[in-house]
Amino acid sequence: MAVPNVLIVAAEESIGRRFESEVLLPPVFDVTFVASGKVAVDLIKSNLPDLVFISTRLMDGDGIVFGQRLAERLPALPLILVTAEWSEAACIEAQRQGFWDCLPADMPVSQVEASVSRCLERRQRLRSWAVNEASQKSRGLKKRIQTLDALHKVGQTVNSSLDLDTILSAVVDAAVEMTGAEEGSLLLLDNATGELYMRAARNFQEDFVRTFRLPVHDSLAGQAIRTGQVITFDQAAPKKIKTSYLVHTLVYVPLQIQHRTIGVLGIDNRQGGHPFQAEHISLMSTLADYAAIAIENAHAYASLDLERKKLELILTKVEDCVIVVEHDGRLIIANQAAQKAFGLQGNLAAQPVVDLIRHQDLLDIFQQTITTPYRSEIQLDDGRVFNAQVTPIPEIGTVVTMQDITHLKELDRIKSEFVSTVSHDLRSPLTAILGYVELISRVGPVNEQQKEFIARVQVSVHNITSLINDLLDLGRIEAGFDARKELIPFGVIVNSALEGLALRISEKSQQLTVNIPPDLPTVMGNPVRLRQMVANLVGNAVKYTPPNGRIAVLAHCEAGQIILQITDNGPGIPASDQPYIFEKFYRASNVPNETPGSGLGLAIVKSIIDNHGGRIWVESSEGYGTTFTVVLPVSLEKSH
Ligand code: ADP
């Protein structure tokens, strides 16, 4: 044993010297003598002694008070009071104050030695007890840390792995290792058969795991599933009670997903082993939660994956071309049809479309920023024509779907050709009919009834002629025969069209408001067609608005565009008809049969506006009126 380090604190030098030279002799003891309590405290702080003698008198105070304070701070430090006035009562009082012993200053050496060794022994016992206690506590702490560590690892596996087998095996392993059980298993309920099967296991035979099937109704695990409660089983003798194998002790903890129990996590001891404690059950519950989360994640992932694969398959197999491009110009998807049509090959995902797509019109679509969907036509080098629907999706980018409309375009061309040939061929006989009908009254007298019949023939022939003229016009406009364009002051065009309608307006006593600024800019266009466009729109307003109705024709220039609006307070157009009124021969459902018209006027208007790079749309409310808005680009060239 190391040499005990003894501190003597006393005002009387005689005491210090006596103890140093007679009682606590070197090399058995290492003695330090100080007279002041303050100095003693400093010494104790820097080097804790094994024993302290304190005299009742100190240089800087009362030894008993000093000892009492020291005992409060350091209860394991042996303190012996040395007093000149020793009495039994004083001794008892000193021990109450925290001193371990109390000796008279002149106590014989042997008795002092006996007291010293008693104190040192007691100190040793105290120390061993403290060390033991601390190591037990730290063992418990260490175990808890290990447990937390193991739980943390399982948690990490749950978060980082998508492989359910790995996760569930890790959960069962942890359950066995943390509880010291002999075996562990994770049983899941097969809803189809109502049986439990082993999804993961530790220390069970592989064959047993594979063939294990347990009816849920008649088993302990089933009880845990039915009640959602933990089942513990603790029998002195092993029994084969509803487990299908013999166990001494067992714990089943339910696996719950949204208040539904889907299986159990179990541990057991077959050989005997220790009974399971409350802390084991709480650990098992945490592990069961991990397993339930993992199973739920796996289900969610599997169904997401299935949906994704289904969508992918649909996209791949669909005959329309589908191309999706991200905002930064990188390709997200090009389905099989699109790859074939535009010759896309190799590794396409996330590649910039500029490097992939050689078709300039298609590339232009992806290189512009759009906010509203629109339709466009794309002509391929092999002559095919695609109808492209371009849709911006804010969170993704641009989606283009394309259908092959080559056959429709061809049909349209053949139909237009046919209509135009027939119309042309019909014109001469109609002119002849009109001519001869006019001659009838000149060659002889006709009675009133004959006159009326002649007038009816004339009206009908006029209607057919105007229909044929419309058809021929449309054919010409669509074929681009009016390509010749010149700079025209747009206001002049509008006024000229309005002049042509003045008589009809006054016949119907309609109120016309016109606001055309004199400085309206010029447009580059075909004057005959633009006049026809305005005349058709205002003509419709006059035709459909009842007598005494109001019509307004307003134009202004804004952001390099001329905006023309024709508004009336006529019958309006039903919302269901509005999308179709620009199609050929379409007439809205609220037009009375006797109202003349062929349904070609707005088709001509639309073709003329398209040819001039403009746009037209309608806003109408049935019973309140209609507004057509035309937008035409202003010519950049100056008129002269
Ligand atoms: P239509 O020869 O029938 O006038 P259009 O092509 O000019 O043919 O117009 C197509 C249809 O649009 C008309 O039949 C009518 O139903 C509707 N329409 C056009 N303009 C107006 C308007 N100002 N007020 C109400 N309906 C209109």
Side-chain angles (χ1 to χ4, degrees):
M1 191 186 149
V3 177
N5 179 357
V6 181
L7 177 65
I8 300 167
V9 196
E12 308 91 334
E13 243 189 271
S14 56
I15 292 182
R17 231 173 290 124
R18 178 168 180 249
F19 275 73
E20 250 178 337
S21 55
E22 291 173 29
V23 189
L24 307 164
L25 299 174
V28 185
F29 294 99
D30 176 3
V31 180
T32 310
F33 169 54
V34 295
S36 130
K38 200 168 165 312
V39 176
V41 168
D42 290 343
L43 273 177
I44 292 169
K45 264 189 206 156
S46 63
N47 182 21
L48 187 70
D50 297 304
L51 182 68
V52 185
F53 283 97
I54 304 170
S55 162
T56 41
R57 286 202 313 111
L58 305 184
M59 231 178 64
D60 49 2
D62 183 307
I64 297 181
V65 175
F66 172 74
Q68 188 187 358
R69 288 200 192 125
L70 207 56
E72 276 167 14
R73 269 205 311 117
L74 301 165
L77 178 63
L79 305 177
I80 299 175
L81 183 68
V82 181
T83 169
E85 294 111 28
W86 190 91
S87 69
E88 213 162 290
C91 200
I92 292 169
E93 184 53 30
Q95 284 182 351
R96 244 188 234 138
Q97 310 285 1
F99 287 93
W100 292 28
D101 206 354
C102 173
L103 305 177
D106 54 357
M107 170 73 91
V109 172
S110 61
Q111 286 184 30
V112 177
E113 279 174 354
S115 171
V116 166
S117 50
R118 262 199 323 273
C119 283
L120 286 179
E121 266 168 34
R122 186 175 156 202
R123 179 179 163 279
Q124 188 54 41
R125 279 200 307 278
L126 258 177
R127 190 175 266 188
S128 316
W129 172 83
V131 168
N132 203 13
E133 195 68 0
S135 84
Q136 258 185 26
K137 282 263 152 44
S138 78
R139 260 206 305 280
L141 270 177
K142 234 183 187 162
K143 214 173 145 213
R144 281 188 72 82
I145 289 171
Q146 276 169 355
T147 307
L148 285 176
D149 227 33
L151 275 181
H152 177 65
K153 277 203 187 104
V154 179
Q156 271 182 333
T157 316
V158 172
N159 286 333
S160 63
S161 173
L162 278 176
D163 177 19
L164 200 53
D165 285 338
T166 313
I167 297 172
L168 298 184
S169 296
V171 167
V172 175
D173 284 351
V176 168
E177 275 156 28
M178 289 162 144
T179 59
E182 289 169 23
E183 297 171 330
S185 60
L186 196 140
L187 309 181
L188 289 186
L189 181 61
D190 181 343
N191 283 321
T193 62
E195 287 177 323
L196 289 162
Y197 62 98
M198 238 180 234
R199 186 68 172 76
R202 167 81 175 258
N203 297 345
F204 279 94
Q205 296 243 320
E206 225 177 88
D207 277 357
F208 181 80
V209 173
R210 217 170 341 100
T211 53
F212 180 91
R213 285 269 155 181
L214 189 61
V216 69
H217 299 303
D218 191 29
S219 65
L220 270 187
Q223 195 179 322
I225 289 182
R226 270 195 309 283
T227 59
Q229 302 290 322
V230 176
I231 303 283
T232 54
F233 175 63
D234 205 343
Q235 292 281 315
K239 278 189 187 161
K240 192 173 175 176
I241 300 178
K242 297 178 181 176
T243 53
S244 96
Y245 49 91
L246 293 168
V247 291
H248 272 281
T249 48
L250 169 147
V251 175
Y252 276 144
V253 179
L255 250 64
Q256 289 181 316
I257 294 179
Q258 287 159 3
H259 309 298
R260 202 165 46 84
T261 309
I262 55 156
V264 292
L265 176 64
I267 44 167
D268 63 70
N269 289 317
R270 290 208 213 195
Q271 304 300 328
H274 59 85
F276 296 116
Q277 312 290 333
E279 66 185 84
H280 294 142
I281 294 172
S282 112
L283 266 176
M284 291 279 289
S285 298
T286 308
L287 289 170
D289 286 347
Y290 277 141
I293 291 168
I295 292 170
E296 192 169 40
N297 283 352
H299 282 164
Y301 181 76
S303 63
L304 261 182
D305 200 41
L306 189 73
E307 286 304 313
R308 192 179 57 83
K309 284 196 175 121
K310 263 197 226 164
L311 278 177
E312 239 176 55
L313 195 69
I314 294 170
L315 262 185
T316 313
K317 295 294 170 199
V318 93
E319 281 194 15
D320 291 353
C321 300
V322 180
I323 302 180
V324 186
V325 172
E326 237 173 304
H327 289 301
D328 65 358
R330 290 177 185 277
L331 185 79
I332 298 177
I333 302 168
N335 72 345
Q336 261 175 19
Q339 291 180 23
K340 216 168 133 204
F342 295 94
L344 307 179
Q345 279 167 352
N347 183 18
L348 303 174
Q351 297 296 315
V353 272
V354 267
D355 299 344
L356 297 172
I357 297 176
R358 297 276 155 259
H359 193 287
Q360 195 51 48
D361 290 350
L362 183 61
L363 200 55
D364 288 347
I365 290 180
F366 292 118
Q367 286 183 325
Q368 71 203 352
T369 312
I370 54 159
T371 49
T372 46
Y374 70 93
R375 207 191 64 77
S376 159
E377 278 181 14
I378 290 195
Q379 176 122 31
L380 264 58
D381 294 342
D382 60 10
R384 280 185 294 162
V385 182
F386 280 178
N387 170 38
Q389 178 62 45
V390 184
T391 314
I393 302 182
E395 310 79 42
I396 298 176
T398 306
V399 179
V400 177
T401 51
M402 287 168 275
Q403 301 91 27
D404 189 340
I405 52 163
T406 317
H407 61 293
L408 291 178
K409 290 298 276 186
E410 184 56 16
L411 270 179
D412 199 44
R413 192 189 59 75
I414 295 169
K415 190 195 73 190
S416 299
E417 237 175 61
F418 170 76
V419 169
S420 147
T421 314
V422 171
S423 318
H424 198 263
D425 291 353
L426 277 176
R427 253 216 322 211
S428 318
L430 279 174
T431 317
I433 292 171
L434 215 52
Y436 284 113
V437 167
E438 266 170 22
L439 283 179
I440 291 176
S441 57
R442 296 200 199 161
V443 291
V446 282
N447 62 27
E448 279 311 303
Q449 205 173 14
Q450 285 168 328
K451 261 191 202 159
E452 195 198 319
F453 289 165
I454 289 170
R456 283 195 191 177
V457 171
Q458 279 173 326
V459 168
S460 295
V461 175
H462 271 302
N463 282 347
I464 299 174
T465 313
S466 89
L467 169 65
I468 284 172
N469 284 341
D470 279 355
L471 278 172
L472 284 172
D473 274 355
L474 202 54
R476 268 193 226 109
I477 297 164
E478 283 181 345
F481 291 155
D482 298 319
R484 206 181 57 81
K485 292 191 174 122
E486 57 196 77
L487 281 177
I488 325 147
F490 192 65
V492 175
I493 294 282
V494 179
N495 285 322
S496 143
L498 289 177
E499 271 165 30
L501 290 160
L503 184 63
R504 278 172 62 196
I505 294 172
S506 76
E507 272 170 6
K508 284 186 89 173
S509 311
Q510 286 164 332
Q511 184 191 324
L512 175 70
T513 312
V514 180
N515 188 352
I516 312 288
D519 55 348
L520 208 57
T522 53
V523 290
M524 177 60 93
N526 183 308
V528 178
R529 293 299 174 211
L530 287 178
R531 186 181 183 282
Q532 187 178 10
M533 179 268 287
V534 179
N536 278 5
L537 288 172
V538 183
N540 274 350
V542 175
K543 177 162 65 173
Y544 292 108
T545 306
N548 303 316
R550 286 192 308 275
I551 297 168
V553 179
L554 316 171
H556 69 278
C557 180
E558 194 182 301
Q561 294 177 317
I562 287 179
I563 295 162
L564 171 71
Q565 285 193 308
I566 295 119
T567 303
D568 64 55
N569 67 345
I573 303 169
S576 56
D577 289 315
Q578 287 176 25
Y580 310 107
I581 54 168
F582 295 103
E583 287 176 12
K584 289 170 205 162
F585 301 110
Y586 194 89
R587 308 197 74 195
S589 48
N590 63 340
V591 174
N593 281 341
E594 64 279 8
T595 311
S598 60
L600 280 176
L602 287 182
I604 293 174
V605 165
K606 174 92 170 51
S607 292
I608 295 172
I609 292 170
D610 283 351
N611 270 355
H612 286 80
R615 282 183 298 136
I616 179 167
W617 65 90
V618 65
E619 287 155 289
S620 182
S621 172
E622 215 183 338
Y624 291 96
T626 305
T627 296
F628 281 93
T629 305
V630 177
V631 177
L632 286 171
V634 167
S635 161
L636 295 176
E637 294 174 43
K638 285 260 169 288
S639 59
H640 35 259

